[in-house]
């Protein structure tokens, strides 16, 4: 019975393995050790092993742990992790139908571009970004935690915080892949005070608990532009007929407020980074949602702003083309010796809906920021 259920849950539907399915078979923080051992074994036997034997899952190398070249740099790094926000819908990136980013457009020194996500769903993109994964399916790199941003931060004198606007049930899978033991202060929506905002501005309420005299790595995780879109913003932000565009307008407000708040409340060197986990289909290709290998899903925004910085990092930010580059950019800010981006033609990998790449992945050949070849690997 368990074997049949495992095979059923791991069967891709419409080309993707759904989030709800993986919660049935992957180990979880809230389960007992014996249950997690059973889940891991079933997942391996009925999901991973057959594809390994058949040669359908490519074997990519595990990255070595980076070396410190700047001991305990005094700075605050803020990563805002957006949710389901595609690059095509930001006015500052060329969207013309509605003015979705009026406040961000006025911020002096804000660098903005579109980049390639590491995955087509939250669990694959965030796990890759947090663990500095260049290649899909390299779960050994997640397990050994050698490249986890929070571990690297702790081992070079940073205090670490992760605040999510998503609730505990939505965070179950992510909690197993973000090296929780290296996060000093971890909170999701279920941890916030009763009566708190139901929208992403609840993240603002957590900021007074941060000691800005410390070196900090702070991750703020939105609910963002996930369905149902009309639940993700206050009524005052219903400016457009498009509910999705209204979520973008609300994110514009939130990011502007966060930038202003961080710059006005502390004097440390500050690096402010925003990207989204993945994008969204809004009817294109006859589909709604994400999890598929379309540009609307794998192209996401990347924003960067620095404050009180002597050694500017804008040149490094301009080399960022992917989530893997974002990981390396943050790792370099944490004081480690890593290369950001690369010259000439590059290969960039986008995982599908499964962490082990059981639902396939995309290899993009990119030249001057443009895709010149796509290769889908199932």
């Amino acid at each position: 019975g368990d074997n049949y259920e495992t095979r059923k849950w791991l069967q891709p539907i419409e080309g993707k393995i759904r989030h709800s399915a993986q919660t049935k078979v992957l180990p979880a923080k809230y389960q007992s050790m014996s249950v997690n051992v059973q889940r891991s074994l079933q997942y391996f036997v009925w999901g991973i092993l057959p594809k390994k034997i058949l040669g359908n899952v490519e074997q990519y190398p595990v990255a070595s742990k980076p070396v410190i070249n700047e001991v305990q740099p005094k700075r605050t790094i803020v990563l805002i992790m957006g949710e389901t926000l595609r690059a095509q819908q930001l006015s500052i990136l060329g969207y013309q139908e509605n003015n979705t980013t009026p406040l961000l457009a006025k911020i002096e020194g804000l660098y903005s571009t579109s980049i390639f996500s590491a995955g087509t769903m939250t669990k694959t993109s965030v796990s890759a970004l947090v663990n500095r994964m260049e290649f899909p399916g390299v779960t050994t790199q997640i397990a050994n935690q050698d490249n986890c941003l929070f571990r690297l931060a702790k081992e070079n004198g940073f205090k670490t915080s992760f605040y999510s606007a998503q609730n505990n049930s939505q965070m179950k899978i992510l909690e197993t892949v973000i090296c929780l033991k290296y996060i000093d202060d971890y909170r999701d929506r279920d941890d916030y005070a009763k009566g708190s905002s139901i929208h992403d501005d609840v993240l603002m309420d957590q900021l007074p608990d941060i000691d800005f005299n410390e070196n900090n790595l702070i991750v703020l995780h939105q609910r963002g532009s996930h369905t149902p879109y009309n639940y993700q913003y206050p009524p005052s932000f219903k400016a457009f007929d498009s509910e999705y565009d209204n979520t973008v307008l609300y994110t514009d407000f939130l990011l502007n407020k966060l930038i202003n708040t961080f710059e006005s409340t502390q004097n440390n060197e500050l690096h402010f980074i925003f990207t989204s986990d993945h994008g969204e289909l809004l009817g294109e290709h006859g589909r709604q949602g994400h999890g598929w290998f379309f540009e609307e899903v794998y192209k996401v925004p990347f924003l960067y702003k620095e404050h009180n910085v002597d050694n500017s990092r804008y040149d490094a930010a301009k080399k960022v083309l992917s989530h893997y580059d974002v990981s390396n950019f943050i790792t370099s800010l944490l004081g480690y010796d890593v290369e950001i981006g690369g010259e000439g033609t590059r290969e960039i990998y986008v995982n599908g809906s499964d962490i082990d790449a059981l639902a396939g992945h995309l290899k993009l050949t990119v030249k001057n920021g443009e895709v010149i070849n796509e290769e889908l690997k199932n």
Side-chain angles (χ1 to χ4, degrees):
D2 287 342
N3 294 340
Y4 169 76
E5 286 297 313
T6 302
R7 290 196 298 272
K8 183 182 77 173
W9 286 115
L10 288 174
Q11 181 65 37
I13 300 172
E14 297 180 339
K16 68 178 181 180
I17 298 175
R18 299 186 186 280
H19 177 92
S20 58
Q22 291 211 17
T23 61
K24 303 288 185 181
V25 297
L26 286 174
K29 183 184 72 170
Y30 60 92
Q31 294 284 2
S32 68
M33 181 180 293
S34 61
V35 170
N36 277 335
V37 168
Q38 182 184 19
R39 281 177 163 220
S40 296
L41 184 60
Q42 289 179 175
Y43 180 63
F44 177 74
V45 170
W46 298 106
I48 301 172
L49 190 59
K51 291 210 170 190
K52 298 282 188 183
I53 293 173
L54 294 172
N56 293 341
V57 178
E58 293 212 20
Q59 304 296 303
Y60 290 114
V62 176
S64 58
K65 189 174 182 179
V67 176
I68 293 172
N69 65 357
E70 185 181 5
V71 177
Q72 298 188 7
K74 192 166 183 61
R75 61 177 61 112
T76 290
I77 304 161
V78 183
L79 170 63
I80 311 297
M81 197 72 207
E83 170 69 64
T84 319
L85 180 57
R86 67 189 208 173
Q88 291 96 321
Q89 226 70 9
L90 274 70
S91 298
I92 54 173
L93 297 180
Y95 182 59
Q96 296 183 352
E97 185 171 335
N98 292 313
N99 186 9
T100 55
T101 54
L103 299 177
L104 291 175
K106 296 177 182 177
I107 296 179
E108 186 176 349
L110 181 69
Y111 173 69
S112 61
T113 191
S114 61
I115 63 172
F116 301 94
S117 69
T120 63
M121 293 184 76
T122 302
K123 57 185 170 288
T124 51
S125 61
V126 174
S127 60
L129 195 157
V130 170
N131 290 283
R132 209 170 73 85
M133 292 171 61
E134 181 177 8
F135 304 107
V138 189
T139 50
T140 300
Q141 195 162 315
I142 299 175
N144 66 30
Q145 301 182 351
D146 282 351
N147 287 273
C148 180
L149 297 180
F150 296 110
R151 178 178 183 177
L152 297 177
K154 290 294 297 176
E155 292 182 353
N156 201 22
F158 284 80
K159 183 177 180 181
T160 56
S161 306
F162 187 110
Y163 305 136
S164 179
Q166 303 197 25
N167 62 36
N168 184 256
S169 64
Q170 293 159 343
M171 292 297 295
K172 282 177 182 175
I173 285 183
L174 286 188
E175 288 175 344
T176 66
V177 298
I178 59 174
C179 61
L180 269 178
K181 69 179 180 179
Y182 294 105
I183 302 177
D184 296 316
D185 191 2
Y186 174 84
R187 308 176 193 178
D188 59 41
R189 183 176 293 282
D190 293 338
D191 297 320
Y192 303 143
K194 205 169 183 179
S196 296
S197 170
I198 62 171
H199 299 114
D200 284 344
D201 56 356
V202 71
L203 298 171
M204 295 290 305
D205 298 337
Q206 316 314 311
L207 303 188
D209 294 337
I210 298 172
D211 183 357
F212 288 111
N213 292 315
E214 301 273 358
N215 303 335
N216 286 286
L217 172 63
I218 303 161
V219 177
L220 303 178
H221 182 216
Q222 291 183 265
R223 187 65 180 155
S225 298
H226 202 284
T227 54
Y229 308 135
N230 61 314
Y231 283 16
Q232 311 307 343
Y233 60 87
S236 59
F237 286 84
K238 188 173 176 59
F240 313 122
D241 292 335
S242 167
E243 299 287 6
Y244 187 86
D245 283 3
N246 291 331
T247 69
V248 185
L249 184 67
Y250 181 52
T251 290
D252 172 72
F253 161 80
L254 179 68
L255 295 181
N256 179 70
K257 190 172 183 180
L258 284 168
I259 290 173
N260 289 334
T261 299
F262 274 105
E263 291 187 347
S264 64
T265 56
Q266 52 98 30
N267 296 317
N268 286 352
E269 179 178 311
L270 172 66
H271 299 268
F272 186 95
I273 298 162
F274 172 82
T275 190
S276 181
D277 53 358
H278 52 75
E280 184 84 327
L281 290 172
L282 302 174
E284 298 89 355
H285 315 288
R287 299 174 187 261
Q288 297 278 345
H290 46 272
W292 299 286
F293 296 110
F294 295 107
E295 184 177 294
E296 293 87 352
V297 177
Y298 63 70
K299 290 296 286 292
V300 294
F302 171 69
L303 311 178
Y304 174 68
K305 175 79 163 60
E306 59 186 32
H307 179 67
N308 286 340
V309 175
D310 292 329
N311 180 21
S312 175
R313 303 300 179 104
Y314 280 114
D315 286 345
K318 291 176 182 178
K319 296 179 180 179
V320 171
L321 290 181
S322 68
H323 274 168
Y324 176 60
D325 295 340
V326 174
S327 299
N328 282 332
F329 185 43
I330 294 172
T331 301
S332 71
L333 292 172
L334 290 171
Y336 290 81
D337 184 16
V338 293
E339 182 179 350
I340 302 166
E343 301 297 329
T345 303
R346 295 179 55 192
E347 291 180 348
I348 292 175
Y349 297 83
V350 181
N351 200 359
S353 57
D354 179 78
I355 292 174
D356 285 284
L358 301 185
H361 67 277
L362 196 63
K363 183 170 80 170
L364 302 173
T365 304
V366 178
K367 184 176 182 180
N368 299 324
E370 299 295 327
V371 177
I372 60 174
N373 187 58
E374 291 188 10
E375 185 177 355
L376 180 60
K377 296 181 176 291
N378 292 309

